[in-house]
Structures are given as C-alpha cells and as structure tokens.
Amino acid sequence: MQPDLLHRAQIAQILQQFRKCTPLVHCMTNDVVQTFTANVLLALGASPAMVIERDEAQQFAAIADALLINVGTLTRDRADAMHTAILSANAARKPWTLDPVAVGALAFRSDFCRELLALQPAAIRGNASEVMALGGMSSGGRGVDTTDTAIAALPAAQALARQTGAIVAVTGEVDYITDGFRTLRVTGGDVLMTRVVGTGCALSAVVAACCALPGDRLYNVAAGCAFMAQAGSLAVATTRGPGSFIPAFLDALYALHGEGLA
Ligand SMILES: Nc1ncnc2c1ncn2[C@@H]1O[C@H](COP(=O)(O)OP(=O)(O)OP(=O)(O)O)[C@@H](O)[C@H]1O
Ligand SMILES: Cc1ncsc1CCO
Ligand SMILES: [Mg+2]
C-alpha cells in the first residue's frame, strides 16, 4: 500500500501557521550551506540565527524555538558545542532536528550521530543512504550524496523512528515522512535540486522550524518537505540550470501560497 499523500488544504494550513509563528531557528550547520539555509528560512517566514560557540549555543538553544544540528563539516569543537546545545534544548523542552550528513562512511561523524540518537531528536532528515546508514542497514552513500532511493530506505526510516521517537524524513525523488507507525509521502521537486548544494541541508532547517509548530508533528514535518518540493517544481519552470535555479527557488518559497500544493 502506498503511504498517504498530504492534502493541499493541510499543507496550506500548516504554511499559514508557519508564517504566523515565525519560528526562531538556532542553526548549527555546515560551512557550505550557511547563507543558503538562512535565506530559505527567511523566504518562508522563519527567523534563522547561526550561533556556534559552545557557551553561546548553550544559552541560545534554550531561547530559540527550535535547534538544527547538521554534521556536514563537523570538528571536535563543533561536536562538543552541538552536544551542549542539545542538552540545553532538551532541558528547555525545545525540539531539535538532526541532519546526519555523510553518515556511514566516516567514523567520527557516524559515532557522534549514533550517540545523539539517545538524546530524543524531534526529527531526523536525511537522504536515503544517510538514513540507511544511521539505521545500521548500509555503509552510507558517496560522500554527501545518496546512492540509494528513498523507498529503499523507508524500512530503515520506520525502524529509526520507532527506535528514537523522532519523525524521520527520508528525501529523494519522493520524500517519505514517518513516525514509525504512520507514513506520509510528498511528491514534486526536481532533479535540479540535487545539482545545487544545500537543498537537503536547508530542508532540514525547515523541518526543524516545523517541529516548533503546534499540532501533529508528522504532518508538520511532511508539510515542510512539501514547501520545498513545491518551490522546486515552480522554480525549474523558469530556470535553465543550477545558477538561475537558486534565486528562482528563493522567490518561489517566498511566493508560496496554499493553492497548487500537493
Ligand atoms: N530526483 C529528484 N526529483 C525531485 N526532487 C528531488 C530529487 N532528489 C532530491 N529532491 C528534492 O531535493 C531536496 C533535497 O533532498 P536530497 O535527498 O537531495 O537531500 P541531500 O542529499 O541531503 O542534499 P544536500 O546534502 O545537498 O543538502 C528535497 O526537497 C527532495 O525532495
Ligand atoms: C558538499 C558538502 N560537504 C560537506 S557538507 C556539504 C553540503 C552538502 O551536504
Ligand atoms: Mg544532505
């Protein structure tokens, strides 16, 4: 049986909530995607802040509405700061989201991410190879890119969700979002989204923001995936390649409204 598609009305309603709440998102993310991530959050109506020094991260994680942990360019100092921020977010009952970039092949980040699974992430967003590696079902992708399809990673995503209590979003041509018992699917987007860096990383920041919204977290996270997919579909219609895709994508996120979301 195919997982359910989100209804247009549900996505539109969650988008409205998102813009009303303007979630303040504490981003501890990689060096490659800082500006793009901040711009994606701003275009959608959230408020990003990149706070990375350990003591400040501890303070800010308790203040922000949501925390993003992305291990794309992890160092020992950053891992220490991230760990401290997560404990602070948990103590303040703020949701945190994990993007396990390139987990599997590289030992330091893999050990770190596996340790973090015990710290009750609200959500985990990764590509298929990352989710399979985190679930112990493969050894990872090719660097930061996936070598598997999202549907192949769905059993790993469901197992990971049941194990951690997180909503797990595994993305690709189709995105699957699961709490381990219920699964939703999001279609749309375009392969061009894999030819610019950071669409997945920025999606994880959007997922983090969605975790701060009231209501059913499974639907909120799936709606975040739908915002990105829909903006991707709209943007490719007016672009010729990766260079012109990025501004068109930000414009599409900014202009997103309820209709047309599927
Ligand atoms: N073949 C595809 N067709 C349509 N949309 C896609 C395709 N591949 C990825 N996407 C979309 O691109 C976005 C990023 O997902 P992806 O799985 O590529 O993340 P990622 O590999 O972690 O990216 P990165 O690490 O570069 O940030 C998602 O919105 C996803 O739905
Ligand atoms: C290219 C790249 N290298 C480390 S993190 C990152 C961003 C995409 O995940
Ligand atoms: Mg990624």
Side-chain angles (χ1 to χ4, degrees):
M1 202 177 73
Q2 280 270 44
D4 285 346
L5 271 175
L6 235 62
H7 294 300
R8 193 176 303 186
Q10 291 170 313
I11 305 167
Q13 189 255 327
I14 295 168
L15 179 62
Q16 231 176 26
Q17 283 269 14
F18 190 103
R19 293 201 167 122
K20 199 170 121 217
C21 291
T22 62
L24 177 62
V25 188
H26 179 182
C27 300
M28 300 182 83
T29 190
N30 71 68
D31 294 339
V32 187
V33 302
Q34 300 278 350
T35 306
F36 183 64
T37 300
N39 279 333
V40 164
L41 286 172
L42 286 166
L44 268 175
S47 181
M50 280 52 185
V51 178
I52 60 167
E53 174 57 32
R54 190 189 59 187
D55 291 357
E56 287 194 346
Q58 180 177 32
Q59 189 186 358
F60 193 59
I63 297 168
D65 297 315
L67 170 66
L68 167 68
I69 299 293
N70 175 309
V71 301
T73 50
L74 195 65
T75 64
R76 277 183 205 283
D77 281 352
R78 289 174 189 187
D80 184 32
M82 287 172 178
H83 190 253
T84 302
I86 291 168
L87 296 183
S88 177
N90 281 350
R93 300 188 162 277
K94 302 298 175 72
W96 71 274
T97 292
L98 176 65
D99 186 330
V101 179
V103 151
L106 300 169
F108 177 64
R109 69 181 66 200
S110 301
D111 292 346
F112 179 64
C113 286
R114 288 194 184 107
E115 274 172 35
L116 295 189
L117 295 183
L119 299 180
Q120 297 170 298
I124 300 168
R125 198 297 312 169
N127 66 38
S129 294
E130 291 160 350
V131 168
M132 288 169 87
L134 207 52
M137 294 181 193
S138 89
S139 56
R142 185 164 181 266
V144 301
D145 294 326
T146 191
T147 50
D148 301 282
T149 60
I151 190 69
L154 182 53
Q158 289 165 331
L160 199 56
R162 283 196 296 270
Q163 179 203 330
T164 61
I167 304 298
V168 179
V170 54
T171 56
E173 187 180 354
V174 178
D175 302 338
Y176 297 93
I177 302 92
T178 182
D179 64 4
F181 304 97
R182 302 171 296 164
T183 300
L184 299 172
R185 94 191 130 97
V186 167
T187 58
D190 192 275
V191 74
L192 200 53
M193 295 173 82
T194 66
R195 303 300 290 263
V196 296
V197 80
T199 50
C201 299
L203 170 55
S204 296
V206 172
V207 163
C210 288
C211 285
L213 303 180
D216 189 334
R217 186 164 285 162
L218 177 73
Y219 281 82
N220 289 340
V221 169
C225 294
F227 305 157
M228 296 291 275
Q230 179 65 19
S233 298
L234 292 169
V236 288
T238 61
T239 60
R240 286 164 290 116
S244 50
F245 176 78
I246 293 174
F249 181 66
L250 292 173
D251 286 352
L253 284 172
Y254 177 71
L256 218 57
H257 54 93
E259 294 90 77
L261 291 166

